[in-house]
Structure formats: C-alpha cells, structure tokens
Amino acid sequence: MAYLWEPEVRNNSYCGCGIKLDCCPFWRRIVADQEWVDFEKDRSPDARQFWRFFGDLICRRDSAKDLPYRRFLNRIESIYRAISNQTHGSVIIDSSKRPMFGLAAARLPDVNVTLIHLVRDSRGCAFSWTQRKARLELGEKSFMSQVPACPTALQWTARNLQADILRTQKSRHIFLRYEDLVARPAFEVNKILRQVSLPSISTDQDGIFHAPVSHGIWGNPDRWSSMRAIKVNKDERWVTGLSTRDFAVTTLLSAPLLKWYGYKLSRPRPS
C-alpha cells in the first residue's frame, strides 16, 4: 500500500485482479472513502523525513508530536479500516517493502501488525537489478530501472538493517530466507499463515499454488506472467551470471549482514 501515494502507480498501474487500478471496483470504493486525502500533498515520508523518523525509532522519541507524520499515520489507518470494512476480513496482507512503512503500521494503536522479513542473498539481488525487465502494465516500452551492484548492495544493507531494528517494536516479527522459501514453499508459507490465524494452502500435483484474487497495486512484473497460478522456482542465475567485480563489491558492502543471516561469503557452486 505504500505505493498508493505514488501518482505513477495510482494513474497507470494495474491491480492484481488484472483491471487498471483507477477502474478496479475494489480500489475505486477504497479511494472514494478517502476523498479527504490529498495524495499529492500528503505523500509517504521521503528520504529526509525517513531518517528523522528512523532516529525517533532508535532513540525512542515520541513521533506523535510530529504533525505531518501523525497525519500520515491517520491516513494509513483509515485506508486499512476501509479495506477491512469492504472485505469483511480480519487480516490484511500488505506487501509494502519499505521498512519505514512497516514502522508506521506498527505504531497504529488499533492495528495488530505482524512484520514478515524476507531476505535474499545480496548477490542474487544485485544480479536481478542489473537485468532488463519489462513493465508491460505501464506500456510496451516501459521497463524497470536497472541499478548497478554498488547502490543495490548499499540499499540491501540499509533496508535489512532497518528491518532488523524493527524487531525492537512490540509487533510480531517473522524472519524468512528466500532460499528456505523456495526449498519448501508450502511448508514456509503455511508456517506464516498459522501464525496469523489463516487457513493453510497446498499445491497441486505439479507444485503450483492456485491463489485467490489479489488486489495488490504494485509489484514485480513477473506476477503478470503467472496471474493466480504460481510455481515457486529457485533462481540461481546470479551464481554464474554476476561478474567478478560486482560479486566482490556486493560481498564487501554487505558482508556483516550476509554472515548474520547465515550466508557464505564465497561464490557458491551451481546446484
């Protein structure tokens, strides 16, 4: 939901149900309930604001006195409430990946938050961001930004460190490595579902999950290739595809957290 504040997403993206976001009946009703929200003015915190709020987290100062931040929290809570009222569901799965948004949600007094920290080997992330990938929902000539290994490694380190520090909040925290997820997807997913009191799911005989309709508003474009039939496969292209230079840079910048999460610093052999 963090991307609901982005004009490009609100005006051009497609909902997970396959309908253009501004035409999706679900989101049209949600946004209609938020007529008082000025999405252009009241954006989610930018980088400068983020560090101020992150300082509040570390120093445990009270951010409730920060009126723009309090206004932002009120907007999140109002939208969550509108989603809950429309779906009549007790659990909202919000795939926002920004730690700042997780911190904001954790500070909502009437929301019981479970933070899921999914981490992947930083070298795999670096390789992925160097690849050209189409964003067909934004047009035939639209592509995801390609990011060099160095800034990817810095962002990987910063965001995972922030996510780790979020464990200091009172919210429930679930940690999961990408490699463990792809090795046993049904087991790991159902372990999470049990912790949030949702029914378990299973794959068919071909290992494919048949997921219900989702109203996610932003995400990896791969979701459009599978829609609601999802097969989890391990992606190890980076093991041989990541250049020696990018491997060394990424490993150097992210080494402490790689070790903390149980990854080896040497290049693994292809399985």
Side-chain angles (χ1 to χ4, degrees), residues 86-149:
Q86 186 172 162
T87 61
H88 305 291
S90 60
V91 178
I92 298 172
I93 302 174
D94 185 345
S95 60
S96 301
K97 294 186 289 185
R98 299 174 180 176
M100 181 61 215
F101 205 84
L103 169 60
R107 286 183 169 170
L108 300 176
D110 296 325
V111 177
N112 182 17
V113 175
T114 297
L115 299 169
I116 301 175
H117 182 184
L118 176 64
V119 64
R120 184 187 184 187
D121 191 306
S122 59
R123 284 77 59 98
C125 294
F127 177 79
S128 179
W129 278 107
T130 62
Q131 304 303 295
R132 197 167 188 245
K133 183 172 290 188
R135 291 224 73 118
L136 297 179
E137 73 272 29
L138 299 181
E140 294 182 359
K141 297 182 179 180
S142 296
F143 294 87
M144 290 184 65
S145 301
Q146 291 173 268
V147 184

Side-chain angles (χ1 to χ4, degrees), residues 22-268:
D22 57 4
C23 297
C24 171
F26 176 86
W27 281 108
R28 289 185 68 176
R29 288 192 291 267
I30 296 296
V31 174
D33 288 343
Q34 309 298 319
E35 291 180 350
W36 53 276
V37 176
D38 186 343
F39 282 105
E40 297 303 321
K41 179 182 177 182
D42 228 353
R43 296 168 60 81
S44 59
D46 60 22
R48 182 183 60 182
Q49 291 174 312
F50 169 79
W51 286 112
R52 187 174 75 238
F53 301 144
F54 196 54
D56 289 344
L57 168 64
I58 296 175
C59 300
R60 298 187 181 278
R61 294 193 296 269
D62 185 9
S63 292
K65 298 177 181 178
D66 188 319
L67 293 182
Y69 189 40
R70 172 51 52 189
R71 195 163 59 243
F72 178 62
L73 294 182
N74 291 340
R75 275 134 179 74
I76 297 173
E77 187 170 18
S78 177
I79 296 173
Y80 278 158
R81 186 178 297 110
I83 293 172
S84 180
N85 290 340
Q86 186 172 162
T87 61
H88 305 291
S90 60
V91 178
I92 298 172
I93 302 174
D94 185 345
S95 60
S96 301
K97 294 186 289 185
R98 299 174 180 176
M100 181 61 215
F101 205 84
L103 169 60
R107 286 183 169 170
L108 300 176
D110 296 325
V111 177
N112 182 17
V113 175
T114 297
L115 299 169
I116 301 175
H117 182 184
L118 176 64
V119 64
R120 184 187 184 187
D121 191 306
S122 59
R123 284 77 59 98
C125 294
F127 177 79
S128 179
W129 278 107
T130 62
Q131 304 303 295
R132 197 167 188 245
K133 183 172 290 188
R135 291 224 73 118
L136 297 179
E137 73 272 29
L138 299 181
E140 294 182 359
K141 297 182 179 180
S142 296
F143 294 87
M144 290 184 65
S145 301
Q146 291 173 268
V147 184
C150 182
T152 297
L154 291 173
Q155 185 181 68
W156 183 93
T157 300
R159 287 198 171 184
N160 279 294
L161 181 61
Q162 293 157 7
D164 275 334
I165 293 178
L166 285 181
R167 298 188 193 192
T168 62
Q169 301 300 288
K170 295 181 180 179
S171 304
R172 186 185 306 167
H173 189 283
I174 298 173
F175 176 81
L176 175 61
R177 297 198 324 168
Y178 161 86
E179 292 76 11
D180 297 326
L181 172 64
V182 297
R184 298 191 298 175
F187 174 82
E188 296 293 348
V189 169
N190 284 323
K191 189 164 64 172
I192 293 173
L193 293 176
R194 285 195 299 272
Q195 294 191 57
V196 295
S197 303
L198 288 177
S200 62
I201 60 175
S202 59
T203 63
D204 62 18
Q205 60 184 6
D206 297 317
I208 296 175
F209 289 98
H210 295 277
V213 173
S214 165
H215 288 286
I217 63 174
W218 194 247
N220 193 299
D222 285 346
R223 64 188 178 135
W224 300 109
S225 63
S226 59
M227 289 302 287
R228 291 187 290 277
I230 304 170
K231 186 167 186 178
V232 180
N233 296 304
K234 188 173 184 179
D235 182 2
E236 287 188 312
R237 292 174 299 160
W238 68 271
V239 174
T240 56
L242 189 64
S243 70
T244 300
R245 177 184 178 278
D246 286 348
F247 180 89
V249 168
T250 305
T251 302
L252 178 64
L253 293 175
S254 57
L257 282 183
L258 282 173
K259 293 287 289 183
W260 175 254
Y261 297 141
Y263 293 108
K264 295 182 179 178
L265 300 186
S266 59
R267 188 188 294 259

